[in-house]
Amino acid sequence: QVQLVESGGDSVQPGGSLRLSCAASGSIFIINAMGWYRQAPGKERELVATTTSTGRTNYADSVRGRFTISRDNAKKTVSLQMTTLQPEDTAVYYCNANIQQISGRWSDYWGQGTQVTVSS
């Protein structure tokens, strides 16, 4: 009933840039927080950046100053502009959103993930 679809993952060289996008669709009434998480091989999933419906943002220390999260409430999208990418940014990136469906039910939803690889 609710889907999050990510796009934009790719392989880049260190110092490069990428832009990830995530679109929410389905029986959506309200979207609260939206964000990006990542999981590197052998590691736990970790927060990258989040944004509230009013635009308040939060970043992991490791990406602050290099990544920028933004959202378009009308289009139900959230994006992550990543610059100065480093090999340690290599991971599967997941979109997350806290959504109230038209039925009234609140749930957390996840996208399928998109691979970002930073390597020379």
Side-chain angles (χ1 to χ4, degrees):
Q1 293 182 331
V2 173
Q3 275 192 314
L4 299 180
V5 178
E6 302 116 331
S7 61
D10 205 344
S11 295
V12 297
Q13 293 187 342
S17 299
L18 278 177
R19 184 176 181 85
L20 305 182
S21 296
C22 172
S25 63
S27 58
I28 297 169
F29 182 55
I30 296 173
I31 303 179
N32 191 8
M34 302 185 81
W36 290 92
Y37 292 72
R38 67 187 182 187
Q39 187 166 18
K43 295 187 177 182
E44 294 186 353
R45 190 173 298 188
E46 63 176 4
L47 179 148
V48 176
T50 61
T51 178
T52 67
S53 58
T54 57
R56 182 179 298 178
T57 58
N58 180 50
Y59 295 92
D61 289 343
S62 60
V63 307
R64 188 174 291 112
R66 299 188 298 123
F67 292 8
T68 302
I69 189 170
S70 60
R71 66 188 281 174
D72 185 325
N73 290 329
K75 295 182 178 179
K76 299 183 180 64
T77 60
V78 62
S79 298
L80 185 70
Q81 180 67 47
M82 305 185 292
T83 63
T84 319
L85 283 161
Q86 303 166 4
E88 49 265 39
D89 295 316
T90 296
V92 178
Y93 284 69
Y94 296 92
C95 175
N96 170 270
N98 183 239
I99 293 173
Q100 184 181 28
Q101 293 187 52
I102 294 173
S103 64
R105 177 182 179 184
W106 281 97
S107 295
D108 265 349
Y109 293 90
W110 293 89
Q112 79 284 358
T114 186
Q115 177 70 46
V116 172
T117 302
V118 185
S119 174
S120 56

